[in-house]
Amino acid sequence: EIVIIFHNFAVFTTQECAFYNASWEKDGTNQSGVESCHGEKDKRRHCFSTWKNRSGAIEMVKQGCWLDDVNCYDSSECVERKENPDVFFCCCEGNMCNEKFHYSPEMIQTTSNPVPPKPDLFPTLLYSLIPVMAVAVILVISFWMYRRLKLSSPPLLVPSQDPGLMPPSPLLGQKPLQLLELKARGRFGCVWKAQLLNEHVAVKIFPVQNKQSWQNEYEMYSLSGMKHENILHFIGAEKRGNGVDIELWLITAYHEKGSLTDFLKANVVSWNELCLIAQTFVRGLAYLHEDIPSLKDGHKPAVAHRDIKSKNVLLKSDLTACIADFGLSLKFEAGKSTGDTHGQVGTRRYMAPEVLEGAISFQRDAFLRIDMYAAGLVLWELASRCTAADGPVDEFCLPFEEEAGLHLSLEDMQDVVVHKKLRPIFREHWLKHTGLAMLCETIEECWDHEAEARLSAGCVEERIISMQRNTNLIAPDDILSVVTMVTNLDFPPKESSL
């Protein structure tokens, strides 16, 4: 008995799996071989295979190690049992168990009696009518609920693409997606770290009542020209579940360092790191704001983000930034209305004076200038955690946390920003560092009370490039004299392209 238990344990412990990757050149991996499986000690490990059937010919997609999955438990063979899938998937336990795989759909067992007895007519009719009547009742109830929901819920931003009708993303339809860890909860949903075959992705899950935010974000990511290194990479969108349990998913690239807020809470930044993060952040914002008529995939309209904050700026592994969360964004296309919109949206702490006052001109440039005010606050957060100046670095603080506290009402912000015209403070020792002094001047021109006086994102990017270059050229002995002449440096001109 002891020998049998040991034998079973040995069979179902997975240490290595057959490996294959059809996209090996693109992903930079081997095409085939053996993959060693690693994971947490209390988690089980499995092997998997995915393949397609091209008119009877097997076309391999991927093979390798798979994470702890109850569907794979105690299965020594790799068998796909779903009927007619687009992409076949199986998993198993045991070393190299995915080397062989096959398709065996679950079949309904038929009776072995060759001549069934002839049933009575009345019970036959009764049993035939009951399912038909049940289906009819379900259809009537479903239609009534559909009509009620349609009349009570707000219209979608893109009526032709209701989440209930949207097909799954072609990319995701071919690949198993596994949620791993809840990373954040926000106003419109939650964000999970997930596994899509051998890469990590982020899955943002919206409940069905927040479908308008999901729909708007999906539409923004789907615009022509929205693929840019400083805009979060979009992978796909899906509807999961049925009835009241419907969830709306957005799948994007996953960045381990997380948001700029979380990074600055735990880390300080050097001058060069500050310049890299700031430059790539405003480069992404400048691209978002730009109207580009002649791209390969069509006309990219100007887009206003409307919720710029450090929580919506993500950091990649090389500390370059990308902008995320387009649930409140607006696009501006010539001759077309922006649709129903409300001026007072976003995060209170980052709202521009004109938003707090409710005095917005509903024109493109007005919305882009609102983004620039918030961008100034994000740059201030970066400056506050920089080690370049000769002085103490404060603990991370959100904008206006010193002036008005952590939990702000709309009235608090109106009092601080509109009536008192306060802004987050610059520490005295920041201004003794040439680069930080230049940055502080740029920040002030971003959060100017007069919207028309604010810098454009493109101009801020040029300023940051210029201040990094000038700072690197200045010797330490020259710093004191240069600081006194900061306003005379050759800054790019202040432009009003907004």
Side-chain angles (χ1 to χ4, degrees):
E1 187 176 345
I2 295 170
V3 173
I4 291 168
I5 291 169
F6 178 77
H7 175 71
N8 285 343
F9 177 78
V11 168
F12 294 117
T13 298
T14 307
Q15 294 177 336
E16 55 184 29
C17 301
F19 175 81
Y20 183 84
N21 184 2
S23 308
W24 64 280
E25 290 179 301
K26 180 183 173 185
D27 297 342
T29 67
N30 293 331
Q31 184 177 15
S32 60
V34 176
E35 181 178 10
S36 296
C37 303
H38 306 284
E40 297 174 27
K41 289 183 180 178
D42 58 339
K43 301 284 185 181
R44 292 168 76 158
R45 299 184 289 276
H46 320 287
C47 301
F48 81 94
S49 292
T50 54
W51 70 95
K52 297 178 186 176
N53 190 334
R54 302 285 194 194
S55 305
I58 300 299
E59 180 187 316
M60 280 303 302
V61 178
K62 285 214 172 184
Q63 287 180 302
C65 297
W66 190 243
L67 300 172
D68 193 338
D69 188 334
V70 70
N71 296 310
C72 314
Y73 282 10
D74 303 324
S75 175
S76 60
E77 293 186 336
C78 204
V79 184
E80 169 63 281
R81 300 196 182 278
K82 290 181 185 173
E83 203 163 342
N84 297 321
D86 293 332
V87 175
F88 296 82
F89 172 84
C90 66
C91 58
C92 55
E93 287 189 317
N95 289 331
M96 305 297 285
C97 63
N98 63 334
E99 208 165 17
K100 294 179 181 178
F101 50 90
H102 59 277
Y103 172 51
S104 178
E106 293 174 354
M107 304 297 289
I108 297 169
Q109 295 294 323
T110 58
T111 179
S112 58
N113 193 341
V115 184
K118 190 174 180 180
D120 292 336
L121 184 61
F122 178 74
T124 303
L125 285 171
L126 188 63
Y127 291 143
S128 300
L129 286 172
I130 286 174
V132 174
M133 291 171 67
V135 169
V137 170
I138 290 168
L139 286 172
V140 169
I141 293 171
S142 299
F143 180 74
W144 176 78
M145 288 180 70
Y146 168 75
R147 292 283 297 167
R148 187 173 176 184
L149 280 170
K150 191 172 181 181
L151 290 170
S152 63
S153 60
L156 289 172
L157 296 180
V158 188
S160 63
Q161 288 189 328
D162 186 273
L165 301 175
M166 195 189 108
S169 233
L171 176 67
L172 298 174
Q174 298 179 12
K175 298 180 180 180
L177 183 64
Q178 189 177 20
L179 299 180
L180 300 177
E181 181 186 354
L182 180 64
K183 301 299 287 187
R185 289 189 181 276
R187 190 169 26 190
F188 297 119
C190 55
V191 178
W192 284 77
K193 178 182 180 181
Q195 178 119 353
L196 190 61
L197 286 183
N198 62 344
E199 66 175 330
H200 287 137
V201 295
V203 179
K204 189 173 182 181
I205 301 178
F206 300 75
V208 72
Q209 58 266 32
N210 289 335
K211 64 183 177 183
Q212 190 162 352
S213 179
W214 173 87
Q215 186 76 36
N216 194 52
E217 192 157 3
Y218 172 63
E219 180 186 327
M220 292 301 153
Y221 278 124
S222 303
L223 290 172
S224 297
M226 280 294 281
K227 287 181 172 62
H228 186 272
E229 61 185 350
N230 303 122
I231 292 173
L232 181 61
H233 174 61
F234 174 66
I235 295 171
E238 283 195 348
K239 183 198 79 168
R240 295 286 179 114
N242 293 294
V244 293
D245 296 322
I246 287 177
E247 291 180 338
L248 305 169
W249 289 20
L250 280 175
I251 299 92
T252 63
Y254 175 76
H255 298 298
E256 187 66 48
K257 289 188 183 296
S259 72
L260 181 58
T261 306
D262 296 332
F263 183 79
L264 292 178
K265 281 179 182 176
N267 301 276
V268 292
V269 291
S270 67
W271 172 245
N272 283 333
E273 287 171 338
L274 179 150
C275 289
L276 177 63
I277 296 170
Q279 186 186 331
T280 50
F281 158 55
V282 294
R283 182 187 296 153
L285 190 55
Y287 183 81
L288 195 66
H289 285 178
E290 196 174 358
D291 184 288
I292 309 173
S294 54
L295 289 172
K296 286 182 182 178
D297 59 343
H299 183 156
K300 180 207 165 289
V303 175
H305 188 280
R306 299 213 299 166
D307 197 18
I308 291 292
K309 56 183 176 181
S310 55
K311 199 75 178 172
N312 288 338
V313 178
L314 304 183
L315 292 183
K316 300 182 183 181
S317 56
D318 61 357
L319 279 190
T320 57
C322 61
I323 298 171
D325 197 339
F326 295 91
L328 295 172
S329 299
L330 283 178
K331 61 178 178 178
F332 302 94
E333 296 175 298
K336 292 185 183 179
S337 167
T338 54
D340 294 333
T341 186
H342 188 273
Q344 209 166 53
V345 299
T347 303
R348 289 189 196 118
R349 191 177 295 278
Y350 293 83
M351 282 183 180
E354 61 271 28
V355 178
L356 292 166
E357 285 184 291
I360 301 172
S361 160
F362 285 82
Q363 302 298 317
R364 184 191 80 166
D365 290 356
F367 285 108
L368 303 191
R369 289 168 184 147
I370 290 165
D371 280 355
M372 291 314 302
Y373 170 90
L377 295 174
V378 173
L379 294 175
W380 175 86
E381 289 174 71
L382 267 170
S384 72
R385 297 290 283 157
C386 183
T387 58
D390 186 16
V393 177
D394 297 329
E395 289 296 315
F396 177 77
C397 210
L398 288 167
F400 300 107
E401 192 174 328
E402 277 191 38
E403 291 77 10
L406 202 53
H407 304 289
L408 298 169
S409 67
L410 193 64
E411 292 73 24
D412 291 333
M413 288 304 298
Q414 287 170 337
D415 182 53
V416 169
V417 174
V418 179
H419 304 134
K420 295 180 180 175
K421 297 186 179 181
L422 296 179
R423 297 293 183 270
I425 60 169
F426 299 132
R427 302 295 183 201
E428 191 176 332
H429 58 275
W430 299 359
L431 304 178
K432 294 177 182 176
H433 180 273
T434 311
L436 282 174
M438 298 178 204
L439 180 62
C440 290
E441 184 183 341
T442 300
I443 290 170
E444 285 185 319
E445 293 185 71
C446 286
W447 66 31
D448 198 293
H449 203 81
E450 297 300 322
E452 293 81 3
R454 291 174 200 152
L455 299 174
S456 70
C459 181
V460 175
E461 183 189 357
E462 288 179 27
R463 290 267 186 108
I464 293 168
I465 293 169
S466 174
M467 68 178 68
Q468 186 177 24
R469 185 172 58 243
N470 287 334
T471 306
N472 290 341
L473 290 174
I474 296 168
D477 295 341
D478 301 330
I479 287 176
L480 212 57
S481 59
V482 174
V483 169
T484 59
M485 301 186 296
V486 119
T487 55
N488 297 324
L489 280 167
D490 185 20
F491 262 156
K494 185 175 180 178
E495 58 183 67
S496 188
S497 61
L498 296 179

